[in-house]
Amino acid sequence: MTITLDSLEPALSVRQVLTLERVLAGEPEVVAGASHLDRPVRWVHVAEAADVGVMLTGGEMVLTTGVLLAGDEDKQAEYVRSLHRAEAAAVVLGLGRAFPAAPDVMRRAAERCGLPMVVLHRPFPFAELTEEVQSRLVRRKFAAVSLSEAVRTELTALITAGAPLQRLLDEVARHSACPVVVTNLAHRVLGTAGERPAVDDVLRDWERIARQAGGTEGDGWIRAELGGRGERWGRIVLCGYRGDTATGRLLADRAAEALVLHRMLGGGAACSWEEQSAQSLLTDLVSGVVPARQLLPRARAAGLPVNRRTFVPLVVRDGDPARLERLLRLLGLPGLVAELADGATAVLLSLPRDQDAGALAAHFATRLRTETGPDHTVVAAAEPRAAWDDVPTGLREAQHVADAVADSSAVLDLPPVVRLKDVHLRGLVRLLRDDPHVQSFAERELDGLLRDTDEDLLSVLRTYLATGRNKSRTAQLHHVSRPALYRRLESIQVRLGVDLDDFEQAASVHIALLAHDAQQQ
């Protein structure tokens, strides 16, 4: 059976001990330190010795009748001070023969020290209280150990099964019932889990929150460091954890162990988690499933500047994400990089509004093509966006442009940055590629070639039309003589039943070929 935090008994505080049925039978009254009743009780200790403080280790609720303190006010004051020095949780005095009422000296000393002092107005068997509290504490400790082992077992099983980072974080969030955030040492968010509205509330002003409140466990923020071999490289944070601190710290430690193991077995560096974070964010932006406004806290927490910025959506074909990351850092351009499907990589630049976004995008593309060669990389871009809400449309536009030139970059004279206006008819046909009428048209126009699946003739036709029916250029690109090209063109015309010298017929075949190529991608 899976053990969750909901099945654990809450931590016993002084206040909670005083509400136990057996304690209420003694008619307890708090006479000092009422503002400190939320102190955790680690143990209950019955002691009459005046020097009991030397026997304590902290967190004990001390029960006494005060029989050895009666008649000596100095001893009474020192008794309270010694408990305070030993960091006792509280002192409970049973009224009776030694003290018929709460002694003023002890009460005043306890108030000055901030030590909760409770008197019991009716005789009370201390053994019953110690049995009740200690049995609860033992059960709680056993439940904590069970939780620790359950979490360790479940996370280890996920790692062994090859689960991604997000799956591990989801499991931690399920156990902790609060948002979970993983960051690097610069507070940049690498991963999150938990209920989306709660996570967004945490991320909305993440850097300030992380620096100011992230280290205060008393506020429900519990951190565990991530690292190994003497080097720290990140941390996991339970944000607003509502259980007791000790259990939360235990859960954070088990999660940290699992994350370190996940990284070690994956063989990757911490930056790979940054890549996963960027990929998740940009994929959600491109898909449009999550409104852009809801993704803004994630973008800000991932380190992307979003206030008063111009956003330039780019999609790079056949670009290595690691190379793109390095180039952005080299050029000092803030942005996110994420690999999409089919060899495409999204790059979202975030530039100050007083900078020339078009010129910087062109400079980035030129440097990239210089490194990789102009025949190997296509940089497609949408027009710069001034509003974050317009970024998803821009990314989809850039992806559309990149897809439109995917099979034609070798025959088209492309600028360093390809935009929608550069793809002309090819872009329109790609947008309409899933229309049944367009599919039927392409099949009908190209039937003579598609029936025989002659890829060589299709390739010649594709180049011939893309070069504006330039026979010399087509022969050069296919490394054939002009007479050999003429024979192939003649064969194409016969199979299709068209005259490629007729502009309208050639245009019809060209559109059909563009639609056919778009449908194959």
Side-chain angles (χ1 to χ4, degrees), residues 42 142 156:
R42 188 181 61 82
F142 175 77
T156 301

Side-chain angles (χ1 to χ4, degrees), residues 15 71 136 285:
R15 188 188 310 277
R136 286 174 178 260
L285 281 170

Side-chain angles (χ1 to χ4, degrees), residues 3 46 117 219 225 229 251 283 340 351 363 379 389 396 399 404 434 440 456 503 511:
I3 299 176
V46 180
M117 180 176 175
D219 294 334
E225 301 298 327
R229 299 177 181 175
L251 179 57
T283 299
L340 304 178
L351 306 173
H363 181 52
V379 180
D389 287 346
R396 288 193 290 272
Q399 189 174 33
D434 294 326
S440 176
D456 181 59
F503 175 79
I511 293 172

Side-chain angles (χ1 to χ4, degrees), residues 286 314-315 317 340 344 380-382 393-406 418-421 423-433 518 521:
V286 170
L314 306 173
V315 171
R317 275 285 176 187
L340 304 178
T393 302
L395 284 169
R396 288 193 290 272
E397 179 182 315
Q399 189 174 33
H400 161 66
V401 173
D403 291 342
V405 299
V418 187
R419 301 185 186 277
L420 194 59
K421 63 183 179 61
V423 296
H424 306 295
L425 178 62
R426 188 178 302 274
L428 175 63
V429 171
R430 185 169 182 84
L431 283 175
L432 300 175
R433 65 177 178 171
Q521 298 173 9

Side-chain angles (χ1 to χ4, degrees), residues 126-197:
F126 285 167
E128 292 186 7
L129 175 58
T130 58
E131 179 184 5
E132 173 75 13
V133 173
Q134 291 171 3
S135 64
R136 286 174 178 260
L137 292 174
V138 169
R139 288 199 303 271
R140 175 180 168 272
K141 182 171 291 188
F142 175 77
V145 171
S146 299
L147 170 68
S148 176
E149 290 306 309
V151 172
R152 177 183 280 121
T153 299
E154 291 174 11
L155 295 181
T156 301
L158 289 174
I159 294 171
T160 303
L165 171 65
Q166 187 60 54
R167 182 68 184 86
L168 269 66
L169 296 183
D170 288 341
E171 190 68 16
V172 176
R174 183 177 69 83
H175 280 290
S176 65
C178 70
V180 175
V181 177
V182 174
T183 75
N184 61 16
L185 296 181
H187 301 286
R188 179 173 176 179
V189 174
L190 308 181
T192 63
E195 294 184 2
R196 197 72 256 168

Side-chain angles (χ1 to χ4, degrees), residues 305 309 324-335 349-352 355 360 363-364 367:
R309 310 291 286 191
L324 298 177
E325 284 273 13
R326 288 194 298 270
L327 184 57
L328 286 183
R329 289 195 295 269
L330 179 64
L331 299 178
L333 297 176
L349 301 180
S350 175
L351 306 173
Q355 294 186 352
L360 288 174
H363 181 52
F364 169 78
R367 286 290 300 269

Side-chain angles (χ1 to χ4, degrees), residues 209-232:
I209 293 174
R211 293 183 185 278
Q212 293 183 4
T216 308
E217 292 190 346
D219 294 334
W221 286 67
I222 299 177
R223 303 187 301 173
E225 301 298 327
L226 304 177
R229 299 177 181 175
E231 179 183 2
R232 293 188 303 116

